[in-house]
Amino acid sequence: MKVPILDLKPAYEELRTELDAAYHRVMESGWVLLGRELEAFEAEYAASVGTRHCVGVANGLEAMQLVLMARGVGPGDEVIVPSHGYIATWLAVTHVGARPVPCEPDPLTYNLDPARVEPLITPRTKVILPIHLYGQTADVPALMRIAEKHGLFVLEDAAQSHDARCHGRAAGALGHAAGVSFYPSKNLGALADAGAVTTSDDALADRLRHLRNYGSKVRYQHEYPGLNSRLSELQAAFLRAKLPHLAAWNARRVVLAARYLSQLAGVGDLVLPSVAAWATPVWHLFVIRTARRDALQKHLAAAGVGTQIHYPIPPHLARAYAGAGWKRGDFPLAEKFAAEVLSLPIGPHISAEQVDMVCAGVRDFFKGPGVES
Ligand SMILES: *Cc1c(COP(=O)(O)O)cnc(C)c1O
């Protein structure tokens, strides 16, 4: 038995009838962009999140970039971002010409720590941009209180948190707007790149509907300088087929996460994921930490267990940002976590037996001689 970190085929096998029907519906319609499937998906997704609007776009990066464009965020402005997270969040900021201001995470949840955010606010700060990392929501209510006090906008990066809850409210409905990704590996994944913005701000949604389509809603009338960032009819139809299964698929992840947590408790120097009292995570990733990460990853690979590192290089040390003024040592927690985190296989089509096999491999590693690391 092998345990892949990700396999898209079983989802197709489970939903073959629905996905094939979605494909045929779009083919028969003869309409491939900005049509009925997208409109229906937008309504269904907004209803599931609890926002007034969902605006489908091409991917999660552009979802966030478009919100910043729509808000007029640009050169001279600052956006507070997590120091520990995916570079897409930072790229959305630098693509509009604004400056990311990194904030170190809460060491238990890995999410933006509200207590560390407030001291970073300057007269140039425009936006706070938390990621709901690994599928657990950040403390957005606390960030919203800070935002209200200072007149800031809160944009959630909800790429890893479809239907994750914070005090019972869904990710994507916690801040002023959220960027969502439907990249194929996400909890709700399309079969190519896709994304969306959720918001209850009518004016923002209207502007986004222009901006995703060259700044135009009426053909050849361009109100704003926009992007070409559309969610295709085919991907919208696939997402509509999958959305009704999201809750059940997330529930399977919750069961597997509980299994990992009980079987890995007290093993070696492992740091297991912590869940805040008010959070209901959807376990996009199951991330453990150990000082012997690289050796553990090799050991598991030899045992047929696929793992990944989310993420091995913190954004401030990415070559993409060489010359931006950051250096090693600037964000010690982000650097430490990048050296220690390891994502174990989790997903709706991973079995309990597979989790047991992964756990046996991990325990076996820490029972070993422990010389090399
Ligand atoms: C996947 C992801 C993104 C980017 O989404 P794309 O659709 O690939 O552009 C952004 N932020 C986080 C945290 C992600 O996991």
Side-chain angles (χ1 to χ4, degrees):
M1 182 166 69
K2 292 213 169 211
V3 192
I5 184 80
L6 180 70
D7 182 3
L8 297 174
K9 189 86 186 292
Y12 177 56
E13 281 161 0
E14 185 180 338
L15 297 187
R16 186 186 296 269
T17 312
E18 292 94 324
L19 291 168
D20 287 356
Y23 169 81
H24 286 294
R25 217 167 53 233
V26 174
M27 290 301 122
E28 296 295 340
S29 80
W31 193 271
V32 294
L33 284 168
L34 299 182
R36 272 195 225 141
E37 295 292 336
L38 178 61
E39 250 173 56
F41 173 69
E42 288 178 337
E44 289 157 11
Y45 195 71
S48 80
V49 171
T51 52
R52 274 215 293 281
H53 307 280
C54 165
V55 180
V57 300
N59 54 63
L61 165 59
E62 289 176 359
M64 293 184 283
Q65 183 179 338
L66 284 160
V67 171
L68 296 176
M69 286 169 69
R71 296 284 306 169
V73 176
D77 295 335
E78 294 176 354
V79 177
I80 296 176
V81 297
S83 62
H84 175 66
Y86 189 47
I87 196 170
T89 317
W90 292 42
L91 290 173
V93 176
T94 52
H95 285 345
V96 300
R99 175 135 187 109
V101 175
C103 180
E104 288 270 77
D106 173 325
L108 289 177
T109 63
Y110 306 118
N111 274 323
L112 211 51
D113 179 353
R116 298 176 202 249
V117 166
E118 204 157 12
L120 299 176
I121 293 171
T122 76
R124 292 166 180 259
T125 309
K126 293 283 154 45
V127 178
I128 305 173
L129 208 177
I131 305 177
H132 305 307
L133 200 64
Y134 306 149
Q136 173 168 208
T137 53
D139 190 356
V140 179
L143 296 174
M144 286 293 277
R145 285 192 291 275
I146 296 171
E148 247 154 62
K149 195 164 126 194
H150 297 272
L152 306 178
F153 188 87
V154 175
L155 169 58
E156 303 164 62
D157 179 338
Q160 303 190 351
S161 55
H162 307 92
D163 208 32
R165 303 266 157 175
C166 171
H167 296 287
R169 269 167 63 221
L174 303 168
H176 296 102
V180 188
S181 167
F182 304 114
Y183 178 76
S185 72
K186 310 292 192 193
N187 290 37
L188 179 61
L191 295 166
D193 282 306
V197 175
T198 55
T199 183
S200 290
D201 179 333
D202 299 339
L204 177 65
D206 182 65
R207 188 171 272 231
L208 289 166
R209 288 183 197 287
H210 287 88
L211 285 174
R212 71 174 173 189
N213 187 39
Y214 302 109
S216 161
K217 271 209 306 197
V218 176
R219 186 173 296 231
Y220 304 133
Q221 293 186 28
H222 300 276
E223 314 294 335
Y224 314 100
L227 297 184
N228 173 3
S229 184
R230 298 177 294 223
L231 198 174
S232 78
E233 288 291 283
L234 192 54
Q235 297 310 323
F238 290 149
L239 288 165
R240 291 184 70 201
K242 285 184 162 189
L243 181 58
H245 301 270
L246 175 64
W249 284 2
N250 281 341
R252 290 190 218 163
R253 291 174 182 267
V254 168
V255 169
L256 298 180
R259 201 169 180 97
Y260 271 129
L261 287 169
S262 75
Q263 293 197 23
L264 295 179
V267 173
D269 70 340
L270 282 187
V271 180
L272 300 178
S274 300
V275 177
W278 37 262
T280 313
V282 291
W283 301 101
H284 173 58
L285 298 169
F286 189 91
V287 177
I288 60 174
R289 254 171 55 217
T290 165
R292 300 174 61 204
R293 189 264 314 276
D294 293 345
L296 174 60
Q297 184 173 40
K298 261 192 229 144
H299 177 87
L300 290 174
V305 174
T307 59
Q308 272 183 10
I309 297 168
H310 298 93
Y311 300 89
I313 302 172
H316 72 281
L317 299 179
R319 268 204 294 278
Y321 290 128
W326 295 297
K327 59 184 186 313
R328 190 166 291 281
D330 283 351
F331 305 104
L333 287 178
E335 292 170 25
K336 178 181 166 64
F337 296 159
E340 295 186 350
V341 292
L342 187 67
S343 304
L344 303 180
I346 194 164
H349 301 96
I350 295 278
S351 68
E353 292 69 34
Q354 285 176 309
V355 166
D356 293 351
M357 180 183 148
V358 178
C359 293
V362 173
R363 283 196 304 263
D364 179 53
F365 172 79
F366 283 104
K367 263 191 251 137
V371 274
E372 33 88 73
S373 89

